[in-house]
Amino acid sequence: MLSVDRVSKRFDSGLLALDAATLEVARGEILAVVGTSGCGKSTLLRLIGGLEVPSAGEVRIGGRIVDGPHPEIGFVFQEPRLMPWLKLDDNVTFGLAGERRARRARAEELLQEVGLADFADALPQALSGGMAQRAAIARALATEPSVLLLDEPFSALDAFTRAALQDHLLRVWERHRPTMVLVTHDIEEALALGDRVVVMRGRPGRIVHDIAIGETRPRARTSARFQRLKEDILEALQLVPA
Amino acid sequence: MIVLTSEAVAAGELLGEAPSPRARTTRAQPRKRAPGPSRRGILGFAVPVALLVVWEGLGRTGLAAPNLLPTPTAVLDTLGGLVLSGELFGHILVTFARVAAGFALGTAAATALGALTGYSAFYRLLLDPLIQGLRSVPSLAWVPLFVLWLGIFETSKIALVAAGVFFPVYLNLMSGIHGVDRKLVEVGRMYGLRGLGLVRRVLVPATLPAYIVGLRSGLGLGWMFVLAAEFMGASEGLGYLLIDGQMTGRPAAIIGGVILFAVFGKLTDALLARGTRPFLAWQDSFAARREREDA
């Protein structure tokens, strides 16, 4: 479904952010990418989303080479990035063309889905951080993308909101079953959500580990297996002595 | 007159900088209960009214020489006389027309150039240094040149007003576009927007607040420059009223003219602020709140 084939990215500054990364993601799979900051994981995601152009290699979605932003791809950024001058209904349907009334109906549907049905006419400034990020997820879903890319989407939220939104994201995924790539620096988040966890290390950014979780969700974060996987990942990140 | 002075200072201050997008999106602290709209309005009149009373008292008691500082009632008398003779309306109309034409021209040129240099790095490098250089020429230095080129009648006056309006509008628009949050632009790109679509759906709305600040300070400077234009030789207009009052030794006419400038400057600014308010409703910053209350 989604393939990253020996993709490298060297920025104009000369920095090699990503070095020959290769990945396959199956349709409907949730892939979590973890790594310390500066390991190139966000660059990898931006390359998949067509926001950056690879220096070498290619990204394909459903066999088609990604050479720029594409309606098949939904992107949730670290910050909500809502347009502050648009009411929420226009924000979530930002990516949709068409007649105003149809967009409004679609906006209500999407907002309903993320629990913001009462806020269609609110401006982003009136929302809390968690609400704004849910609106951002709704916006990404508006175009019914087959691939949903999330760049540390919950890292700016408090622990309670983060846990709630993780559950929320899973429910959204169960309904639409998009192929998801979730970049995070939160190992527990990766283990709770991912079918597979890829570990990256800098610099240059390389994929050093690929762990299949193969367990149904929701997962007990206290289980022995969960703890063991967490240790494995910490080890792969070289954050604990091997 | 107090109002006019503070307008001019505010216009000067605004010249150099547009509010940064960051500052604009910063959440304001919940403010203390402010007085209601009607009470706020009254508050603004308190000091001028007190000054008028003191001023009238000074004249009545003979503490102020009437040939230097005529009383407010004498000023009102003079203005009343000008209204009755039908003269005043003509002066006001002429000055308004000059400001309006100069404002329209200056704004049009500033919008075109500011959009170009704000959007395109190439044109910014090519043109902005020249424009910034021209900006540092004291604007009244253009007067002899404009008169030489455009004659002593309306055209040179309108050109001078336009030159005054141009710089604040240009600067605010250019730096406004330049300062648009790159992250919002990226969202636009994510949804396949580019070129005009990106301009219309992201850049224009994001730049409007800075642009409107530019328009308001441009209008303030427009009023300043129309006065300069009318000083340099006019047979009509509020500026002519001032000069004529000086030549004929009528201080009441001078003070009357100053007050009219204050009134019309404030009035047009309030109209502009009110007219543009719907575009700024989304702003949630301290400055935006202050501006809303200001209008």
Side-chain angles (χ1 to χ4, degrees):
Chain A
M1 168 63 193
L2 168 64
S3 74
V4 175
D5 187 13
R6 282 163 296 167
V7 167
S8 299
K9 177 67 184 178
R10 187 182 289 279
F11 287 110
D12 292 340
S13 61
L15 174 79
L16 187 60
L18 194 65
D19 187 20
T22 297
L23 265 182
E24 286 283 340
V25 190
R27 184 179 297 277
E29 189 178 26
I30 303 180
L31 176 75
V33 180
V34 291
T36 48
S37 45
C39 71
K41 58 190 192 300
S42 283
T43 304
L44 173 65
L45 200 68
R46 294 170 61 84
L47 285 161
I48 298 172
L51 287 171
E52 304 278 358
V53 182
S55 311
E58 59 191 31
V59 177
R60 284 169 188 272
I61 288 178
R64 182 184 161 280
I65 293 183
V66 173
D67 55 2
H70 190 268
E72 281 293 288
I73 305 165
F75 209 111
V76 178
F77 298 93
Q78 188 173 353
E79 324 80 11
R81 299 196 185 184
L82 301 172
M83 303 295 160
W85 54 86
L86 293 180
K87 289 179 179 170
L88 224 48
D89 61 341
D90 286 329
N91 255 305
V92 295
T93 54
F94 188 82
L96 297 180
E99 189 218 349
R100 186 163 168 78
R101 197 173 332 154
R103 273 190 293 125
R104 170 76 188 195
R106 178 79 176 122
E108 278 169 4
E109 213 175 281
L110 288 159
L111 287 170
Q112 176 90 43
E113 190 169 337
V114 296
L116 292 173
D118 295 336
F119 292 88
D121 291 314
L123 285 167
Q125 53 168 279
L127 304 183
S128 70
M131 287 158 82
Q133 197 58 303
R134 277 186 302 184
I137 292 173
R139 177 178 63 190
L141 293 173
T143 52
E144 299 184 331
S146 58
V147 177
L148 189 58
L149 307 175
L150 303 104
D151 189 5
E152 303 190 20
F154 310 133
S155 63
L157 305 173
D158 63 84
F160 304 110
T161 315
R162 189 184 311 158
L165 280 198
Q166 287 167 355
D167 288 345
H168 190 83
L169 183 66
L170 278 183
R171 282 200 300 280
V172 165
W173 174 81
E174 272 160 20
R175 214 165 308 138
H176 301 272
R177 298 276 168 161
T179 306
M180 252 166 46
V181 180
L182 169 74
V183 161
T184 177
H185 54 225
D186 179 345
I187 298 173
E188 292 207 5
E189 179 170 282
L191 286 171
L193 300 181
D195 293 309
R196 249 167 77 211
V197 178
V198 158
V199 181
M200 289 184 67
R201 220 161 49 203
R203 314 177 161 189
R206 283 200 180 102
I207 294 172
V208 293
H209 232 64
D210 194 332
I211 306 165
I213 308 295
E215 193 181 321
T216 53
R217 284 175 292 254
R219 295 174 186 143
R221 300 189 184 201
T222 45
S223 76
R225 177 169 152 77
F226 195 95
Q227 293 305 321
R228 203 170 52 247
L229 285 168
K230 193 172 162 183
E231 270 163 36
D232 285 350
I233 292 172
L234 282 170
E235 205 170 289
L237 287 167
Q238 296 182 334
L239 292 177
V240 288
Chain B
M1 56 202 151
I2 292 158
V3 183
L4 181 68
T5 321
S6 71
E7 288 297 328
V9 171
E13 275 173 2
L14 290 168
L15 267 180
E17 50 202 323
S20 75
R22 202 180 162 71
R24 266 185 271 130
T25 50
T26 309
R27 271 171 195 266
Q29 295 295 318
R31 75 192 138 113
K32 281 185 233 155
R33 255 186 85 77
S38 56
R39 264 183 63 196
R40 272 208 306 264
I42 291 169
L43 211 56
F45 282 106
V47 175
V49 167
L51 281 176
L52 279 176
V53 170
V54 170
W55 175 9
E56 182 77 33
L58 284 176
R60 292 278 165 117
T61 53
L63 282 171
N67 62 334
L68 293 179
L69 187 66
T71 58
T73 41
V75 172
L76 212 61
D77 259 5
T78 309
L79 286 179
L82 285 168
V83 171
L84 286 179
S85 70
E87 220 180 309
L88 188 62
F89 186 66
H91 288 310
I92 292 172
L93 204 67
V94 165
T95 300
F96 255 91
R98 286 171 184 151
V99 172
F103 183 68
L105 271 174
T107 299
T111 305
L113 276 169
L116 194 64
T117 55
Y119 186 68
S120 143
F122 172 76
Y123 283 104
R124 186 163 51 251
L125 290 173
L126 185 72
L127 296 176
D128 193 53
L130 171 70
I131 296 173
Q132 299 293 347
L134 288 177
R135 187 169 74 94
S136 53
V137 176
S139 311
L140 295 184
W142 297 113
V143 170
L145 203 59
F146 282 178
V147 171
L148 196 63
W149 285 348
L150 304 168
I152 57 166
F153 298 109
E154 288 307 296
T155 322
S156 62
K157 292 185 179 60
I158 291 170
L160 191 63
V161 173
V165 170
F166 176 84
F167 290 104
V169 177
Y170 168 80
L171 273 176
N172 278 286
L173 179 59
M174 183 207 57
S175 53
I177 297 175
H178 197 46
V180 170
D181 193 347
R182 187 189 55 80
K183 293 176 172 172
L184 295 183
V185 174
E186 203 166 74
V187 172
R189 279 184 53 214
M190 197 62 227
Y191 289 103
L193 293 179
R194 58 179 94 178
L196 272 183
L198 197 62
V199 168
R200 188 172 65 82
R201 298 197 55 201
V202 180
L203 293 178
V204 167
T207 310
L208 264 184
Y211 184 59
I212 287 168
V213 169
L215 288 182
R216 287 183 64 184
S217 37
L219 185 62
L221 281 188
W223 279 102
M224 249 163 84
F225 277 58
V226 83
L227 186 70
E230 291 178 345
F231 274 3
M232 78 197 189
S235 50
E236 285 176 295
L238 291 173
Y240 164 76
L241 207 62
L242 295 183
I243 290 287
D244 190 52
Q246 184 204 335
M247 302 282 194
T248 57
R250 289 184 299 150
I254 302 180
I255 293 174
V258 169
I259 290 174
L260 286 177
F261 266 110
V263 168
F264 290 126
K266 180 67 192 164
L267 202 69
T268 47
D269 180 61
L271 276 177
L272 189 60
R274 187 163 292 249
T276 51
R277 202 181 307 171
F279 301 110
L280 302 178
W282 55 272
Q283 278 194 299
D284 186 24
S285 68
F286 177 64
R289 274 169 199 277
R290 220 173 36 177
E291 214 150 277
R292 277 201 292 271
E293 283 161 18
D294 198 46

